Amino acid sequence: METTDLTVTEPLASSPDEFDVDPPFDATEGALPADRFLDRELSWIAFNARVLEMAEIESLPLLERARFLAIFASNLDEFFMVRIAGLKRRIAAGVAVPSASGLNPRAVLSSSLQASRVLLERQADLLHEAVLPALAEQEIWLLRWHELTAEEQGRITDFYHRRVFPVLTPLAVDPAHPFPYISGLSLNIALVMRNPVTGKEHFARVKVPPVIQRWVKAAEGRFVALEDIIAANLDSLFPGMEIIDHHTFRVTRNEDLEVEEDDAENLLKALEKELLRRRFGPPVRLEVDEEMSDAVLELLVGELGVSDEEVIRLSGPLDLRSLNEIADIDRPDLKFPPFVPSTHEHLAEVETASPADMFSALRKRDVLVHHPYDSFATSVQRFVEQAAADPQVLAIKQTLYRTSGDSPIIDSLVDAARAGKQVLVLVEIKARFDEQANIRWARKLERAGCHVVYGLVGLKTHCKLALVIRDEPDGLRRYAHIGTGNYNPKTARHYEDLGLLTSNPEITHDLTELFNSLSGYAMTSDYDRLLVAPRELRKGLLARIDHQIESHRAGRPARIAFKLNSLVDETLIDKLYEASRAGVEVDLVIRGICALRPGVPGLSERIRVRSVLGRFLEHSRVFTFGAGEDSEVWIGSSDLMHRNLDRRIEVLVKLPSREHTEQLTELLELMSDDETLSWHLGPDGSWTRVDGTNVQEVLIARARSRRSRA
C-alpha cells in the first residue's frame, strides 16, 4: 500500500513543547492533557489541502483535476470571508481568548495566513507546471493575449467592442475622484497611465465584469482570459493616454452576517439591512499579480487598509474558481464516466405506472435512500410532488435550509397551498450566503398562501424534515422524510447524503410534536425516535457513548463509529477519549475539521480518524453504536460542532429497520478500512494519504449492478 505524506501540513503540526506524548499520558490519572485538542481553523486548512491534493492525483481525469482546483479556490474564499474575518473581529474587539487548542487568536490568524499562502502558491505551481501542460497535450490551451494569432486577436477585439467595452466602467483616482469601492471577490485591473501632454501619471481601476464568461473562446480548444482581453484594449477606455503598467488584483472582504434578533417579526427586515452592509465589509485578503510594481501595491495596501501578511502575490491568473468553466468543456474523455442515479429498488417495485406511488411503497416498508446513488428526483422530490398533487393529502410541513434557484420543491409547495392544503414551511433565512435567495422563496411561498415561519429567535433551523398528513380509509396516516442534506435537486447529484422515507408511527408522531415546537410555543423534548438540538442531542450522544463503555466493561460487544463533516465539540471529544481509554474501539470518518487527536498512547490509541474525498462531496452524518443485534444507527443533519449542538435546531433519527442499520454499519466499516483510499489523521494533526479501494466507485458499481438486475 502506497502512502503519501501531505507535506503542506508540516506548519500545522504542533511543536514538541505544545504537545508532548513522551512519556505517554497515564490512563490511570483522571485529568486529561491540556493540549488534547487540535485547532479547528488549522484543521480546516488541512482539509482544503486534501482537496488540493485531489487535483494533484495524476490518475484522475484531467478536467476533474481542474475542477478540484476551482473547488479549492472557492473553499478558501469562504474561509477568509468567514473564519479569518471572525478571528480579526475578535482580536479587534479585545475578546481574543485562547481556543480549546490553547492557541490564541493572533497565533491562529498568523498560522492560518501563512498556511493559506503556502497552499495558494502550491495551487499556482500545480496549475502552471502540471495542469496547463497536460491540458495543452489534450489540445486545450489557456492562452495569454500575445499567444493568440493575429486572426484570433482581431476576432476577439471585435468581440470586445461588441460585448465587453459597453459594460466596462473605468474609474480614475485623483483629487476629484476618490479611490473607488472594490467589491469582495471581484477581479480588477489596476493601471498606471501618463498624460502625454503634462507628463503626469495617473492611477485607475477597471473591474472585470462578472456577467461575462471569464474564459473567452478564441478558436476550437483555445481560450483567453477576459482580463487579458481588457488589458490589451485599455487604450479604448483611456484614449489619448499612455498606458505604462497594468496588473490584476482581487480583494476578499468580511462577508459574515451579524443580526441582532430582537424578535422574529423584525428578523426579515434586519437581515435585509445586514445583507446591504455585507457588501462593505472590511478587507481580509489582497491577492495581486506577482509582477505588480511596489508603487501600485503600496497604493492598494494603503487605500484598502490591509496588513502585509494579508497580501498574497501569485502568478496569474487570479481567482481560479473560473476553472469550472474549463472543467465544463464538452470533453467526456477527460471527465469521470457519467453516472445517472436510478430509482431506489423498493420504490421501483411500485413503478407499475410511472412515476412511483410513494405512499403505497411507504405503507409496505421504510425506504433508506442514499444520494446520489439513489435518485433524488424519484424519491424525495417525488414524495413532495405527490403530496402536493394528491387530493387525499390534507397538510404538508417542511423545513427549507437551502434549495436550487428553479426548485421543483418550492413549486410543489406553492401548488399544494393553491389547492387548499395546509402548508407550513420553515424557511431558514439565515442560511449563510443563501440569505437573499431564501428571502425571495419565503415571500413567494407566502403569496401562494403557505404558512411561512422564519425560524426561532437565536437559533438556525438546520434540520431536513418533511411531514405529510394524508386522509386514508382507516384514518389519518402520516408520512415523513428525514435527511442529512438539503432539499436541493442540483446538489443532490453531487453531494452524498442519506434520507429516511417512512410512515413509522413513532417517528411521524415525534415529527408532529417537533413541528408544533417550531411553529408555535410547544416545548416538547420527550421524543421516542429523535434526538433534537439544542436540548437533547449532545446529552443523547453522551449517554450512548457511556452505554458502549459500560457494555465493554461488562464483556459485551462495544463499538462506536461516526461519519461527519466536522468534529469540534470538546465535551463529545472528551467522552470519545474516555471510551478509548476504557477499551472501546472508535472509528471516525470525517470529511473536514477534526479537533480530536487520534492515536495518542493512553489517551486515544483506540481511535482512528479517516477522511474520504472523491467525485461526490461526502455530506451525510451517521452515528453507529454497538455491534451485532444490539447495534443502533442514527442519521441526521448535525455535525458535532458548538453551533450545531447549541445554536441550531438539528435532528437525528434512529433507524427502525435492522436491514438499514446493517447497511450503514457496513458502509462505515468500508470507509474506515485500511485498504480504502483515504487520508489518515495522526496525533500531531498531519494527514497522510493512503491509496486503496475507492469507496465511491464501489458504490457506483453497486448501483449500476442493481439497475442492470432490475
Side-chain angles (χ1 to χ4, degrees):
M1 182 180 299
E2 181 181 351
T3 301
T4 305
D5 287 323
L6 190 57
T7 55
V8 74
T9 61
E10 289 177 358
L12 307 186
S14 300
S15 63
D17 60 340
E18 289 175 327
F19 186 70
D20 186 8
V21 296
D22 187 20
F25 177 67
D26 187 352
T28 63
E29 295 292 329
L32 295 171
D35 47 8
R36 62 192 182 274
F37 302 114
L38 297 168
D39 185 81
R40 62 161 290 168
E41 316 298 355
L42 301 184
S43 181
W44 185 93
I45 292 174
F47 153 67
N48 211 29
R50 300 195 292 280
V51 175
L52 182 58
E53 190 170 356
M54 292 293 292
E56 294 172 337
I57 299 175
E58 294 182 359
S59 60
L60 287 184
L62 182 55
L63 290 182
E64 304 297 349
R65 295 175 65 192
R67 195 180 301 281
F68 276 115
L69 284 174
I71 294 170
F72 167 86
S74 179
N75 286 350
L76 200 58
D77 285 348
E78 184 169 340
F79 179 74
F80 271 84
M81 289 188 293
V82 178
R83 303 307 307 178
I84 294 295
L87 284 169
K88 290 188 66 177
R89 189 167 57 240
R90 290 200 296 277
I91 293 169
V95 290
V97 297
S99 65
S101 67
L103 299 177
N104 65 60
R106 291 185 186 277
V108 174
L109 178 61
S110 179
S111 296
S112 298
L113 291 173
Q114 175 57 29
S116 298
R117 182 190 307 275
V118 169
L119 289 179
L120 281 167
E121 291 171 350
R122 179 173 157 188
Q123 180 197 31
D125 290 344
L126 176 61
L127 176 69
H128 289 282
E129 296 174 10
V131 175
L132 290 182
L135 286 170
E137 289 179 7
Q138 297 295 329
E139 300 185 333
I140 299 173
W141 293 274
L142 305 189
L143 304 169
R144 302 304 304 268
W145 180 261
H146 67 270
E147 295 174 308
L148 299 176
T149 66
E151 181 184 354
E152 289 170 341
Q153 287 183 353
R155 191 163 54 249
I156 294 295
T157 298
D158 180 62
F159 165 80
Y160 166 82
H161 285 291
R162 287 186 295 105
R163 301 288 299 172
V164 181
F165 176 77
V167 180
L168 298 178
T169 303
L171 294 173
V173 176
D174 58 33
H177 300 85
F179 190 85
Y181 171 76
I182 310 296
S183 54
L185 302 187
S186 64
L187 188 63
N188 303 272
I189 299 174
L191 63 131
V192 179
M193 52 192 166
R194 180 186 294 117
N195 187 322
V197 177
T198 65
K200 187 176 181 179
E201 293 186 357
H202 300 273
F203 174 84
R205 169 259 191 167
V206 178
K207 180 177 179 178
V208 179
V211 293
I212 300 175
Q213 187 160 318
R214 174 83 177 278
W215 293 98
V216 178
K217 188 174 181 179
E220 191 61 39
R222 295 169 62 84
F223 300 87
V224 62
L226 181 59
E227 63 269 24
D228 265 18
I229 299 172
I230 296 171
N233 291 276
L234 286 173
D235 57 340
S236 66
L237 286 171
F238 303 95
M241 301 293 285
E242 179 187 351
I243 307 299
I244 299 174
D245 196 14
H246 62 82
H247 295 289
T248 54
F249 71 96
R250 183 171 181 258
V251 176
T252 310
R253 294 183 176 275
N254 175 354
E255 297 205 14
D256 203 11
L257 295 179
E258 299 176 83
V259 180
E260 295 295 331
E261 300 179 55
D262 296 326
D263 55 67
E265 182 180 351
N266 294 327
L267 176 58
L268 191 62
K269 292 181 180 178
L271 187 61
E272 288 181 311
K273 183 178 180 181
E274 187 69 6
L275 285 169
L276 292 175
R277 187 209 59 79
R278 171 191 272 176
R279 296 178 51 231
F280 301 95
V284 294
R285 179 179 59 169
L286 173 62
E287 299 166 274
V288 302
D289 187 315
E290 64 181 356
E291 297 184 0
M292 177 178 284
S293 69
D294 291 340
V296 173
L297 179 57
E298 184 178 347
L299 184 148
L300 291 175
V301 168
E303 292 289 350
L304 292 168
V306 295
S307 65
D308 289 342
E309 64 178 353
E310 293 168 336
V311 177
I312 302 176
R313 286 183 178 267
L314 296 168
S315 58
L318 304 181
D319 190 7
L320 294 185
R321 296 178 303 170
S322 64
L323 288 177
N324 276 317
E325 295 177 10
I326 303 303
D328 287 338
I329 292 173
D330 186 20
R331 285 289 300 272
D333 56 314
L334 302 179
K335 299 181 182 182
F336 289 126
F339 171 68
V340 179
S342 56
T343 301
H344 188 284
E345 56 188 336
H346 292 157
L347 299 178
E349 292 174 357
V350 294
E351 276 193 324
T352 52
S354 185
D357 181 352
M358 296 295 299
F359 302 130
S360 174
L362 298 183
R363 283 194 295 272
K364 294 179 181 179
R365 58 164 66 88
D366 294 338
V367 175
L368 181 68
V369 287
H370 193 187
H371 312 302
Y373 313 104
D374 297 317
S375 168
F376 180 89
T378 60
S379 58
V380 180
Q381 183 178 321
R382 172 59 187 155
F383 176 67
V384 179
E385 289 173 341
Q386 183 176 342
D390 190 335
Q392 291 178 260
V393 168
L394 305 180
I396 303 172
K397 302 183 180 185
Q398 186 164 357
T399 61
L400 285 178
Y401 192 74
R402 303 186 199 274
T403 189
S404 59
D406 53 349
S407 173
I409 302 287
I410 297 286
D411 292 341
S412 293
L413 295 172
V414 166
D415 291 343
R418 288 175 175 167
K421 295 176 171 59
Q422 291 291 309
V423 179
L424 170 71
V425 188
L426 199 149
V427 179
E428 183 46 76
I429 58 173
K430 301 187 294 297
R432 181 179 287 148
F433 302 127
D434 275 344
E435 299 94 346
Q436 195 68 58
N438 284 8
I439 289 173
R440 187 166 60 251
W441 297 132
R443 287 182 165 151
K444 179 177 179 179
L445 290 164
E446 282 182 323
R447 288 194 298 270
C450 298
H451 302 294
V452 178
V453 179
Y454 295 122
L456 302 181
V457 174
L459 299 172
K460 280 187 180 180
T461 305
H462 188 247
C463 50
K464 325 298 182 183
L465 312 173
L467 179 66
V468 172
I469 297 90
R470 191 168 186 264
D471 191 7
E472 299 186 352
D474 56 350
L476 294 183
R477 185 188 292 265
R478 292 171 286 198
Y479 300 84
H481 170 263
I482 302 177
T484 66
N486 297 307
Y487 291 101
N488 189 326
K490 291 185 177 178
T491 58
R493 295 194 289 270
H494 309 290
Y495 285 26
E496 177 272 344
D497 271 304
L498 292 159
L500 177 67
L501 289 155
T502 182
S503 62
N504 180 287
E506 289 182 313
I507 295 174
T508 56
H509 176 269
D510 281 353
L511 284 181
T512 301
E513 297 290 335
L514 177 57
F515 271 109
N516 287 342
S517 297
L518 295 176
S519 63
Y521 290 101
M523 303 297 287
T524 303
S525 60
D526 183 19
Y527 301 106
D528 294 320
R529 289 281 182 170
L530 305 181
L531 289 175
V532 181
R535 291 192 173 193
E536 301 295 330
L537 203 160
R538 183 189 282 108
K539 289 191 293 185
L541 293 176
L542 291 172
R544 282 157 180 81
I545 298 172
D546 276 332
H547 181 68
Q548 293 307 302
I549 295 172
E550 294 166 4
S551 293
H552 180 78
R553 288 172 176 161
R556 298 190 299 272
R559 183 173 180 267
I560 297 167
F562 294 166
K563 180 178 182 295
L564 304 164
N565 295 326
S566 299
L567 171 60
V568 173
D569 187 75
E570 293 84 11
T571 302
L572 279 159
I573 290 175
D574 279 348
K575 184 60 69 173
L576 291 171
Y577 286 148
E578 183 181 338
S580 175
R581 295 167 70 195
V584 179
E585 299 296 326
V586 180
D587 284 297
L588 304 174
V589 180
I590 301 176
R591 187 189 85 231
I593 302 169
C594 180
L596 178 148
R597 295 184 187 269
V600 178
L603 176 67
S604 57
E605 56 201 313
R606 293 178 178 84
I607 302 178
R608 294 160 295 278
V609 179
R610 307 288 187 256
S611 182
V612 174
L613 304 179
R615 67 185 289 182
F616 305 132
L617 184 142
E618 294 288 336
H619 191 250
S620 65
R621 291 87 164 184
V622 184
F623 304 81
T624 76
F625 302 94
E629 291 298 317
D630 294 330
S631 63
E632 61 182 46
V633 173
W634 299 71
I635 67 169
S637 56
S638 182
D639 285 305
L640 300 187
M641 305 178 74
H642 305 139
R643 69 186 188 194
N644 299 93
L645 300 172
D646 298 322
R647 301 190 300 276
R648 288 184 173 186
I649 305 295
E650 303 275 13
V651 173
L652 302 185
V653 61
K654 181 180 177 181
L655 298 182
S657 162
R658 175 52 44 186
E659 175 191 354
H660 296 152
T661 297
E662 292 173 355
Q663 176 185 337
L664 294 192
T665 299
E666 188 268 340
L667 174 65
L668 265 61
E669 289 174 350
L670 177 61
M671 300 187 85
S672 303
D673 193 286
D674 286 341
E675 301 299 320
T676 291
L677 170 62
S678 61
W679 283 256
H680 295 191
L681 177 61
D684 63 350
S686 63
W687 292 84
T688 303
R689 191 179 96 231
V690 177
D691 292 331
T693 304
N694 186 315
V695 172
Q696 294 186 355
E697 292 302 321
V698 169
L699 296 174
I700 287 173
R702 289 181 183 177
R704 285 175 172 151
S705 175
R706 289 194 299 269
R707 184 164 55 195
S708 66
R709 294 195 308 266

